[in-house]
Amino acid sequence: MFDSFQISALKNLLVPQNKIVIITHYNPDGDAIGSSLGLKHFLKQKGLEADVIVPNDFPKFLKWMPEAKQVIIADYKRKIAGEAIYNADVIFILDFNASHRSGNLVGPWIEKARAKKILIDHHQQPDNFDFVYSDVTIPATSQMVYHFIEALGEEELVNKEIADCLYTGIMTDTGGFRFRSTSATTHRITAKLIENGADPAQITSSTWDTNTVSRLHLLALILGRIEVVKDGKVAILWLKRDELKQYGFQKGDTEGFVNYGLSIMGTQVSAFFMEDLYEDFVKISFRSKDYVDVNQFSRNHFDGGGHINAAGGKYMKSIEETIEDFKVKIEGEEF
C-alpha cells in the first residue's frame, strides 16, 4: 500500500480542479472494468469527475455495470480519448503494470502525458510511475481499489454502485472465489461490499448467465476435441479463425474457456489457443493449479506474462505449429 506520505500527496491531487483519467489494459476483463468503474464511482462520491478510458471494446456481459456505457473506447473515439489523456492532471493506471499493456495507441499517450501517474495493480514486475501500489499476492485489482479507499479513510463513501463494480472485479478475477490467491481478507472485503449493496445473485447472473448461442457452439466444439498431454497433467484447447467466423463469434464468447481444462482430474495446466480474428498470430491463455508458474513459462516462451496461476501470451506461427511447439516446451517443465 502507499505509505502515509504518499497518501497525503494523493489526497492533495484528488481535488475538483484536477482532471482525472482512469485507464486499464488492452482487451479489458471483469477486473479491469470493475476496478475502473468502482474507482470512478468512488471519486464521484468525493465530488470528483473522472473519465474511464479503455484501449478497445470489452465484452457485453460487463456492460450492465453502472455507467459502463460512459466508458470511452479509444478504438472508437480516438480524438476524445487522446485529448483526455493529454489534458489530464492525474492518471490512474489500473490492472496493468506497463504502458505497452494498454496497446499501441493508448500506451504512447500514457508515456507522453504530463499527468501524475498512479499505478494500482497486482501483476508482476511493474514499471516505474509517480505512485506505485503493486501487490502480486492480492487476487484482484478491484480488491486493491478497496484497500486504497480504506487507506484514504473513506470507506463510508462506498455505495451500491461502487460495491457492484468492485464485487464483479473480485468475483471474475478469482474465478468465482476458487483461485489459490483468494484469501480471508478477500472474503471479508466482499462481505463489506455485500453490506453496502452488492447483490451476489444479481451480479453473478448478469455477468455469467449471459451465454450466446455462438458461445455454446464454440464451447461444444473445443470440448469435443480437448487433448491431454504430459501424462495427463496438461490440457489443450483450441479454436481456428474460420470456426470463430462460422459461429458468429462475439467479443467475450471465449471468456473462461481455458478453465475447463483444469476441471479434468489430474490436470495441473490448461492452455487455450485461438487464432486472432484479424491478424496472423495465435492468442494463448494459460491457467494452472497450486504452485505451477505459468507466468514465467509464458514470459520465457510466448511473449506474455500475468500471474503464477493465470497468464497470457501470443505466438507468431500457425496454430498447428504453436500447439506443437507448446507440447515440446511444456515437456521440459517440471511439475
Side-chain angles (χ1 to χ4, degrees):
M1 174 48 69
F2 303 116
D3 62 35
S4 58
F5 295 103
Q6 291 173 317
I7 289 294
S8 178
L10 287 167
K11 286 181 177 179
N12 290 331
L13 287 173
L14 299 181
V15 292
Q17 59 265 35
N18 279 342
K19 296 178 180 178
I20 303 172
V21 167
I22 301 165
I23 303 175
T24 192
H25 57 76
Y26 196 81
N27 287 334
D29 57 9
D31 191 26
I33 299 300
S35 60
S36 297
L37 287 174
L39 179 59
K40 174 184 173 68
H41 286 292
F42 167 69
L43 295 174
K44 187 175 181 179
Q45 284 287 91
K46 288 172 61 64
L48 308 175
E49 291 297 322
D51 290 319
V52 175
I53 296 175
V54 298
N56 60 335
D57 204 356
F58 54 100
K60 288 183 179 179
F61 62 77
L62 298 173
K63 294 186 177 181
W64 65 266
M65 281 188 275
E67 295 195 26
K69 293 182 179 179
Q70 277 71 58
V71 170
I72 299 169
I73 301 170
D75 268 359
Y76 303 157
K77 297 183 178 180
R78 181 174 299 204
K79 182 178 180 181
I80 292 172
E83 289 180 351
I85 294 172
Y86 177 81
N87 292 319
D89 300 295
V90 177
I91 294 176
F92 280 94
I93 295 167
L94 298 188
D95 203 39
F96 66 106
N97 58 0
S99 297
H100 71 273
R101 297 291 182 191
S102 60
N104 295 331
L105 179 64
V106 175
W109 289 347
I110 294 173
E111 292 172 359
K112 295 175 183 177
R114 60 178 178 81
K116 292 291 184 183
K117 302 178 183 75
I118 305 164
L119 175 80
I120 302 177
D121 177 60
H122 63 145
H123 296 88
Q124 296 183 356
Q125 301 174 353
D127 280 358
N128 291 321
F129 295 95
D130 297 294
F131 298 87
V132 174
Y133 173 25
S134 174
D135 191 335
V136 299
T137 68
I138 296 178
T141 298
S142 293
Q143 178 177 327
M144 299 177 74
V145 169
Y146 191 90
H147 289 314
F148 176 55
I149 294 170
E150 287 180 315
L152 293 173
E154 296 181 313
E155 290 173 85
E156 75 281 357
L157 295 181
V158 176
N159 60 8
K160 177 173 172 54
E161 286 76 18
I162 299 168
D164 280 344
C165 295
L166 297 186
Y167 186 100
T168 303
I170 295 170
M171 179 189 74
T172 53
D173 238 32
T174 59
F177 307 99
R178 67 179 180 174
F179 294 161
R180 184 169 52 85
S181 56
T182 306
S183 65
T185 300
T186 305
H187 285 292
R188 280 191 286 267
I189 288 172
T190 55
K192 292 179 181 179
L193 295 174
I194 292 169
E195 290 169 354
N196 283 285
D199 182 341
Q202 176 268 320
I203 291 171
T204 302
S205 179
S206 297
T207 305
W208 282 340
D209 297 340
T210 56
N211 285 319
T212 61
V213 173
S214 65
R215 172 179 165 84
L216 294 179
H217 279 308
L218 292 170
L219 179 60
L221 183 62
I222 66 166
L223 292 180
R225 64 184 182 209
I226 193 168
E227 182 180 3
V228 180
V229 298
K230 197 175 171 65
D231 298 322
K233 294 180 180 178
V234 178
I236 297 173
L237 307 92
W238 53 275
L239 284 171
K240 301 191 75 171
R241 183 180 299 111
D242 59 354
E243 294 167 340
L244 298 175
K245 292 179 179 178
Q246 177 184 351
Y247 290 111
F249 171 80
Q250 299 177 41
K251 193 171 186 65
D253 273 351
T254 58
E255 187 79 19
F257 278 13
V258 65
N259 295 322
Y260 283 91
L262 288 184
S263 69
I264 301 171
M265 186 180 298
T267 56
Q268 292 291 304
V269 172
S270 178
F272 173 49
F273 302 88
M274 184 175 77
E275 289 182 332
D276 186 80
L277 200 56
Y278 305 106
E279 299 181 46
D280 290 327
F281 68 89
V282 176
K283 300 177 182 178
I284 312 170
S285 295
F286 297 113
R287 296 293 183 270
S288 68
K289 295 177 181 176
D290 302 323
Y291 296 95
V292 179
D293 190 350
V294 290
N295 167 63
Q296 197 58 52
F297 177 77
S298 183
R299 285 178 181 271
N300 291 345
H301 302 293
F302 293 100
D303 190 28
H307 308 287
I308 289 176
N309 297 123
K314 65 179 181 179
Y315 213 52
M316 305 307 293
K317 294 186 179 182
S318 70
I319 194 165
E320 293 84 2
E321 292 172 309
T322 301
I323 292 172
E324 288 307 310
D325 286 355
F326 167 76
K327 290 177 180 178
V328 172
K329 296 176 191 300
I330 202 69
E331 283 294 336
E333 298 291 314
E334 293 185 8
F335 55 84

